[in-house]
């Protein structure tokens, strides 16, 4: 768990800091710049937790049960249940996180199709053995 100071900022200061942070984050358009930024601002455990959350969202969207997600990602079932609530609300409102998960799944599906095409048709054809049946 990321350490958080016991001293609280005023709500106004907290909102201003978050707004400045989001503005700066939104201004980054280069992948390398984002990697550098994230590398400097997040600890390794924070990066892992964000990545686990993203993977959990993908698994939730695919209908994987909480126990399996919990065991696969080494998260508590309570954490997975909380992620499920967050993701379900985002999905209902079609928020950016839901759109991102959909894009990740489309990319994964495209990767599988390209691999299937490569293994099932392109490689055999390159060696003069064009398959007689469709690969799809």
């Amino acid at each position: 768990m990321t350490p958080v100071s016991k001293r609280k900022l005023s709500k106004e200061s907290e909102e201003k800091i978050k707004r400045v942070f989001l503005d700066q984050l939104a201004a980054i358009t280069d992948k390398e710049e984002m990697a550098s930024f994230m590398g400097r601002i997040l600890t390794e455990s924070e990066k892992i937790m964000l990545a686990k959350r993203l993977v959990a969202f993908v698994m939730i969207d695919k209908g994987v049960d909480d126990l399996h997600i919990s065991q696969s990602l080494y998260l508590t079932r309570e954490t997975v249940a909380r992620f499920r609530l967050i993701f379900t609300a985002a999905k209902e409102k079609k928020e950016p996180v839901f759109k991102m998960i959909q894009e990740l799944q489309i990319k994964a599906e495209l990767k599988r199709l390209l691999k299937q095409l490569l293994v099932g048709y392109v490689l055999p054809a390159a060696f003069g053995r064009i398959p007689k049946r469709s690969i799809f």
Side-chain angles (χ1 to χ4, degrees):
M1 183 70 125
T2 304
V4 179
S5 175
K6 291 183 183 188
R7 289 204 216 151
K8 299 283 182 183
L9 293 170
S10 70
K11 275 289 187 196
E12 185 180 299
S13 295
E14 187 177 312
E15 290 303 316
K16 186 175 182 179
I17 288 171
K18 287 194 278 186
R19 194 170 40 254
V20 168
F21 174 72
L22 286 176
D23 288 346
Q24 293 305 306
L25 195 60
I28 299 173
T29 58
D30 180 69
K31 186 176 180 178
E32 289 176 16
E33 188 179 351
M34 180 60 80
S36 175
F37 175 78
M38 291 299 204
R40 295 287 182 203
I41 202 161
L42 299 175
T43 65
E44 284 304 309
S45 61
E46 289 167 333
K47 286 186 254 183
I48 290 169
M49 192 59 227
L50 287 172
K52 282 184 175 185
R53 183 176 292 210
L54 195 61
V55 171
F57 285 171
V58 169
M59 294 173 84
I60 289 165
D61 194 48
K62 287 187 171 201
V64 178
D65 66 271
D66 288 5
L67 180 61
H68 184 74
I69 296 170
S70 174
Q71 291 172 343
S72 299
L73 298 177
Y74 301 105
L75 299 169
T76 66
R77 296 216 28 210
E78 292 80 14
T79 298
V80 175
R82 186 169 42 85
F83 288 174
R84 185 174 294 281
L85 286 172
I86 292 167
F87 184 72
T88 302
K91 186 175 182 178
E92 287 172 1
K93 295 177 183 174
K94 298 201 183 318
E95 291 179 350
V97 70
F98 171 69
K99 292 176 184 173
M100 180 188 292
I101 298 304
Q102 293 297 298
E103 288 175 14
L104 283 172
Q105 290 191 55
I106 289 168
K107 287 177 185 176
E109 183 63 27
L110 181 60
K111 194 184 250 184
R112 275 193 297 277
L113 285 172
L114 289 174
K115 182 178 179 182
Q116 188 177 7
L117 179 64
L118 180 66
V119 172
Y121 183 79
V122 175
L123 290 178
F127 293 105
R129 295 185 305 262
I130 299 175
K132 293 181 180 168
R133 62 180 174 81
S134 170
I135 61 167
F136 298 106

